[in-house]
Amino acid sequence: MTKAMVIIGAGECGGRAALALRDLGFEGPVTLVGDEPHLPYERPPLSKEAMAGEAPAIKAITSDEILAERSIRHIHSVQAVAIDRAAHVVRLSDGSALPYDKLLLATGSLPRKLPMPGLGARCVYLRTFNDAKAIRAHLRAGNRVAIVGGGFIGLELAASARKLSATVTVIEAQPRILMRGVPAEIAETIHKQHEAEGVTILAGQGIAAITDDGAEVRITLAGGLEVVADLAIIGIGAMPVTGLAAEAGLTIDNGIAVDAELRTGDPDIFAAGDCCSFPLAVYGGRRVRLEAWRNAQEQGALAARNMLGAGETHAAVPWFWSDQYGLTLQIAGLSDEGHSVVRRDLEDGAFILFHLAGDGRLVAASGIGPGNAVARDIRLAEMLIAKRAKPAPEALGSQTVKLKSLLAA
Amino acid sequence: MTGLTGAEQSNFPEEQMSDWVEACEAADIDEEDVMRFDHGGRTFAIYRSPDDEYFATDGLCSHEKVHLADGLVMDDIIECPKHNGRFNYKTGAARGAPVCVNLRTYPVKVDAGKVLIQIG
């Protein structure tokens, strides 16, 4: 009997999974269900390249023609409302029901809401293409933009807004920007760049109150400062979308809990991408949840293989990047695994921090520089991390030692 | 270095094949590495393979127009520095998400220690 594959969530992860099932030769029915009206598209450009033009352009990862040609049924603008595990059926918000043999939950994440009263129409979040369009309409000279949260989304939007000559203030409750997962030295480089571009960064400033009268937003900080803006963009993190899984009785543990093969407690249900937490082999099975584009891609493809019975375990090293102005940051691995740091300086002010565990193992590398100055070395570091290599700190720190030579060792 | 010829593949009809252009010294590129070459308003990537052959492709990734010469060469693969799109630089073939459009390749030869490419 031909099996039916159903994927809930038509973002990067779900889209890649659907295409991967066909790449792997699966010929049965594949259905991709998404609650947005669009084809699966890339989200990273929404805070960056999409803001550059007059109107944001969507960067779809596939087309209607390809989906038709590959017999992938894409049901859009519809939510999955319940999973009947006993009957192997997913119920949708349009009243229909989809039978499945294997189900993939690629439900992604949603912006964490600022838990305060007073937010109105001029307080917005960025997750979808439609959100990006709404934000873009406010980015112009003379407009004041307040960004709540000095994380990646907030800072990338700050850079985009400055390029369009808006007045930008970033408000961060923590003592510095990028507290989560980014070393202080690198955050400092980014902070300076924003200030040089004319962004005001107010770090260590909690918010006491917000009022939004529909014309402007007033943000009163705990220290008494007041920031008045035409638009407040809130970027204080993301929450995994787990409601559907939780109601179906699946285990939730900082996301839909899956094993190394991305399988939930139900052998016929998988989860992948932002919505799931999984054991990361490279750190001894530490359970993590990643909000990253490459992870969404890789896990979508891995889930597809395992839905077809491959039984492969997730082995990738986390990797992500951020572009702000002409700077690119790339991080491979999780720097909080490190106990000591070795710095390697590259050309044009670029540098890389190598994070070493107590036993000398390379566990992460964080780099920043103009353009793609750090890309090659970060990629090599990622391979060293995957090999669980213990490179000599002197070699890592010396610009004259090629990282590739350490890989061969 | 012997005068080995690189990528034999060409996407051009015979009549469009034009002059060979000197790109760099053969010794300018390490083995298993890549170098950027700009010419006539276009940009190319010139590769030296681990077995000491030379190849050339379009210089920009087909995903987001990033210079591939900032990327990593491993065996016969060039990996885009931005989003890790992979191509076989000998054939130009895209090797999976996020890249799906192949790179154009160009004939290469080494003559008297110089790398020449036929950019058509």
Side-chain angles (χ1 to χ4, degrees):
Chain A
M1 195 188 96
T2 312
K3 290 187 183 307
M5 302 294 185
V6 172
I7 300 165
I8 305 298
E12 183 77 41
C13 184
R16 293 290 176 199
L19 292 165
L21 285 167
R22 291 292 182 232
D23 289 341
L24 293 161
F26 177 70
E27 292 177 351
V30 174
T31 307
L32 180 62
V33 181
D35 56 5
E36 290 185 62
H38 314 291
L39 285 163
Y41 59 90
E42 296 188 11
R43 290 190 204 279
L46 297 181
S47 50
K48 304 184 277 282
E49 296 88 342
M51 292 293 164
E54 277 302 306
I58 202 161
K59 192 165 170 59
I61 65 171
T62 186
S63 64
D64 286 318
E65 292 71 35
I66 290 171
L67 292 178
E69 190 184 297
R70 311 201 74 183
S71 297
I72 294 168
R73 183 178 171 212
H74 176 215
I75 302 177
H76 62 81
S77 313
V78 165
Q79 283 184 315
V81 293
I83 303 168
D84 183 338
R85 288 167 55 189
H88 277 60
V89 164
V90 181
R91 301 192 190 286
L92 305 183
S93 56
D94 63 1
S96 63
L98 280 176
Y100 68 85
D101 291 287
K102 301 287 180 198
L103 176 66
L104 173 61
L105 301 174
T107 47
S109 56
L110 285 173
R112 183 189 299 272
K113 300 289 182 189
L114 188 64
M116 296 189 84
L119 277 66
R122 285 180 176 261
C123 299
V124 300
Y125 298 85
L126 173 61
R127 176 66 187 171
T128 66
F129 177 69
N130 289 354
D131 295 338
K133 276 202 294 194
I135 289 171
R136 175 64 186 85
H138 288 276
L139 304 184
R140 58 177 178 270
N143 258 14
R144 300 156 300 175
V145 178
I147 291 175
V148 178
F152 287 113
I153 294 267
L155 293 169
E156 289 175 1
L157 282 168
S160 296
R162 276 306 296 145
K163 281 185 199 161
L164 297 163
S165 304
T167 303
V168 181
T169 306
V170 175
I171 301 161
E172 169 57 58
Q174 298 290 325
R176 66 163 170 90
I177 59 168
L178 299 171
M179 277 291 278
R180 199 173 61 126
V182 178
E185 270 174 277
I186 288 181
E188 179 65 20
T189 301
I190 294 173
H191 186 116
K192 283 184 181 153
Q193 185 68 30
H194 277 280
E195 289 195 330
E197 301 280 351
V199 173
T200 303
I201 298 181
L202 303 171
Q205 305 270 354
I207 295 175
I210 295 186
T211 59
D212 176 354
D213 64 6
E216 62 182 24
V217 185
R218 253 164 220 283
I219 304 173
T220 309
L221 303 181
L225 266 175
E226 191 173 68
V227 177
V228 182
D230 300 290
L231 184 73
I233 308 173
I234 299 158
I236 54 169
M239 303 285 283
V241 177
T242 58
L244 185 68
E247 280 174 35
L250 299 171
T251 304
I252 309 299
D253 177 5
N254 179 31
I256 303 167
V258 294
D259 64 16
E261 295 180 20
L262 306 180
R263 199 184 298 260
T264 66
D266 182 323
D268 292 328
I269 304 181
F270 296 75
D274 287 20
C275 70
C276 79
S277 71
F278 64 98
L280 196 51
V282 71
Y283 303 131
R286 169 184 170 185
R287 181 161 290 274
V288 298
R289 189 175 67 79
L290 300 176
E291 295 157 5
W293 179 74
R294 193 164 97 188
N295 181 64
Q297 256 183 37
E298 287 173 347
Q299 290 198 335
L302 175 62
R305 295 197 291 278
N306 288 342
M307 288 164 86
L308 298 176
E312 272 179 56
T313 58
H314 182 276
V317 173
W319 176 89
F320 71 92
W321 88 97
S322 176
D323 299 328
Q324 295 167 42
Y325 312 103
L327 289 176
T328 294
L329 161 143
Q330 289 196 4
I331 297 182
L334 302 177
S335 59
D336 66 0
E337 290 278 328
H339 290 265
S340 60
V341 169
V342 174
R343 176 172 169 140
R344 167 184 287 231
D345 284 295
L346 308 175
E347 286 167 18
D348 302 321
F351 66 94
I352 292 179
L353 302 178
F354 294 99
H355 307 269
L356 302 169
D359 64 356
R361 188 157 76 92
L362 180 66
V363 287
S366 322
I368 190 157
N372 292 308
V374 301
R376 199 185 293 210
D377 282 349
I378 291 290
R379 182 70 180 103
L380 287 162
E382 184 194 328
M383 293 182 206
L384 288 166
I385 296 165
K387 279 183 71 174
R388 294 158 167 78
K390 294 181 179 175
E394 312 79 62
L396 291 174
S398 166
Q399 206 182 332
T400 56
V401 178
K402 290 199 163 199
L403 287 188
K404 209 184 229 180
S405 69
L406 304 180
L407 198 59
Chain B
M1 177 63 216
T2 54
L4 291 173
T5 307
E8 282 89 31
Q9 308 80 358
S10 169
N11 301 327
F12 309 108
E14 206 69 34
E15 64 270 21
Q16 282 185 352
M17 288 206 174
S18 60
D19 296 340
W20 290 88
V21 175
E22 187 183 317
C24 60
E25 302 285 330
D28 288 347
I29 313 176
D30 289 341
E31 277 186 22
E32 202 178 41
D33 210 344
V34 58
M35 179 179 266
R36 174 175 164 181
F37 171 59
D38 293 346
H39 181 82
R42 296 161 70 188
T43 186
F44 304 89
I46 316 276
Y47 308 84
R48 185 171 174 185
S49 71
D51 47 4
D52 211 11
E53 286 187 90
Y54 289 78
F55 299 87
T57 69
D58 275 337
L60 300 177
C61 179
S62 60
H63 177 235
E64 280 191 2
K65 307 298 170 206
V66 167
H67 283 285
L68 290 167
D70 290 326
L72 180 66
V73 177
M74 294 292 277
D75 296 326
D76 52 5
I77 298 295
I78 173 71
E79 195 172 80
C80 175
K82 200 80 202 167
H83 305 135
N84 311 122
R86 289 170 199 183
F87 302 89
N88 181 321
Y89 60 80
K90 298 183 177 180
T91 64
R95 297 290 294 268
V99 294
C100 47
V101 177
N102 296 345
L103 294 174
R104 198 162 149 181
T105 59
Y106 301 87
V108 176
K109 66 181 179 186
V110 177
D111 191 12
K114 314 267 188 209
V115 179
L116 299 112
I117 82 168
Q118 193 173 38
I119 57 182

